[in-house]
Amino acid sequence: MEQTTDQAEWLQRYRLMYLIRTFEETVARLVRQGEVPGFVHLSMGQEASAVGVMAALGPADVVYSGHRAHGHLLARGADPLAVLAEILGKRDGLGGGRGGSMHLIDPGVGFWGATGVVGGTIPLALGTAWARRESGGIAVVFFGDGASTTGIFHESLNLAALWSLPVLFCCENNGYAEFSARAEQSPVAYASRFAEPYGIATARVDGTELWTVIRQAQAAVQAVREGRPFFLELEVVRLAGHYEGDVQTYRSAEEREQARSRDPVWRARQGLLDSGISEGEVAQVEEEVKRQMRAVEDQALAMQWPEPAAG
Ligand SMILES: Cc1ncc(C[n+]2csc(CCOP(=O)(O)OP(=O)(O)O)c2C)c(N)n1
Ligand SMILES: [Mg+2]
């Protein structure tokens, strides 16, 4: 079948989501094999949020993230080999192998950094937005529902509203902060409610549905380009543990099963098939991505470590 432009674009977005999933499955296995120094937080269940928001951005926009950042960085267009090399601590990784999974950065694709400090990049996005008011670019910051209970988050919302900064707050609400469900961390059910008293426009969407995220992100980005902050809450699922190795005794089997039924990669795949793209075409994309990841893994494992004495 000859593809229409739309179908080609959908397939391209799905490829990216599938790449993020396959990348993280590879990382999970490498953790089990003892190849990964430091902690790793996987974003399985949050792929539609990453790919959907990035689809609404332009090259002049700047993105920040937190400790669950692999998907954001790959969706922004980073080279999977350079990302995996960094996670493995290799010399040719994005940060020379010194940062690891929680401190990814790639200014070349407009990704100005991730951090293990919960909420830590939110004020950085404010500073970037301030500096970009004249140039037209916007700042986007991803953080979790847990980060929305920190002081730095509220200080940032206050200033962003006061100064009408072009910043898009993307809260990925996966219902957990480490091992605590939302109801155990805050009496406020939804993070976007925090934005309302500051007069910041909000939207709360199903963050597991790619096309919903794209549509809503485009509207949000448009508002921000006109000079107003916007708070986009993406309701996602956390399909993995808080960190790799977390046995999740605090989650019931039913709740985990329910989360799996909202798997964004599976939902995007179904959407492709419903739109008339054949099973064969989808399977071919998946095969190509798996082959790509096998090559990336082999190359990353063969790379050199940094010199201990090097800066
Ligand atoms: C300032 C700070 N406080 C506490 C922690 C410990 N910590 C690491 S992840 C996390 C939970 C974050 O939850 P959320 O923002 O919802 O992100 P998620 O892990 O769900 O993606 C906490 C409390 C930290 N890293 N930094
Ligand atoms: Mg969370």
Side-chain angles (χ1 to χ4, degrees), residues 131-156:
R132 303 222 140 193
R133 279 166 311 155
E134 309 301 326
S135 70
I138 69 168
V140 181
V141 58
F142 286 89
F143 52 90
D145 46 308
S148 75
T149 62
T150 63
I152 208 168
F153 164 84
H154 289 271
E155 293 172 44
S156 299

Side-chain angles (χ1 to χ4, degrees), residues 41 46 67-68 116-118 143-148 150 172 174 176-178 185 238 242:
H41 306 82
Q46 307 187 181
H67 57 284
R68 210 174 289 286
V117 179
V118 169
F143 52 90
D145 46 308
S148 75
T150 63
E172 294 184 307
N174 60 12
Y176 284 94
E178 291 188 321
Q185 355 146 12
R238 203 188 74 198
H242 170 61

Side-chain angles (χ1 to χ4, degrees), residues 10-223:
W10 287 20
L11 212 46
Q12 192 53 31
R13 305 255 183 255
Y14 177 71
R15 178 188 292 271
L16 204 44
M17 287 178 72
Y18 196 78
L19 172 69
I20 296 170
R21 177 63 59 88
T22 311
F23 181 96
E24 293 207 307
E25 284 170 352
T26 303
V27 171
R29 182 168 41 72
L30 291 171
V31 168
R32 289 194 295 276
Q33 289 169 210
E35 298 282 357
V36 184
F39 271 98
V40 165
H41 306 82
L42 300 180
S43 66
M44 290 178 187
Q46 307 187 181
E47 294 89 343
S49 159
V51 172
V53 171
M54 299 314 168
L57 301 181
D61 301 324
V62 169
V63 177
Y64 291 94
S65 181
H67 57 284
R68 210 174 289 286
H70 305 161
H72 302 141
L73 182 51
L74 292 170
R76 190 66 177 145
D79 173 9
L81 177 58
V83 184
L84 185 60
E86 183 59 33
I87 293 170
L88 293 177
K90 298 299 179 80
R91 194 182 60 192
D92 292 329
L94 288 168
R98 303 292 192 183
S101 168
M102 276 190 277
H103 305 100
L104 297 167
I105 185 164
D106 189 357
V109 297
F111 185 91
W112 284 15
T115 179
V117 179
V118 169
T121 45
I122 302 176
L124 302 189
L126 252 61
T128 301
W130 172 268
R132 303 222 140 193
R133 279 166 311 155
E134 309 301 326
S135 70
I138 69 168
V140 181
V141 58
F142 286 89
F143 52 90
D145 46 308
S148 75
T149 62
T150 63
I152 208 168
F153 164 84
H154 289 271
E155 293 172 44
S156 299
L157 255 56
N158 184 59
L159 274 190
L162 187 69
W163 293 343
S164 297
L165 295 178
V167 57
L168 176 60
F169 298 101
C170 287
C171 178
E172 294 184 307
N173 185 348
N174 60 12
Y176 284 94
E178 291 188 321
F179 323 114
S180 306
R182 177 79 188 171
E184 293 162 356
Q185 355 146 12
S186 176
V188 178
Y190 300 109
S192 48
R193 286 219 172 133
F194 288 135
E196 290 165 9
Y198 297 106
I200 295 176
T202 66
R204 184 158 60 88
V205 297
D206 182 347
T208 64
E209 216 287 305
L210 179 63
W211 312 111
T212 305
V213 175
I214 292 179
R215 269 195 306 277
Q216 191 55 60
Q218 283 169 339
V221 166
Q222 182 60 33

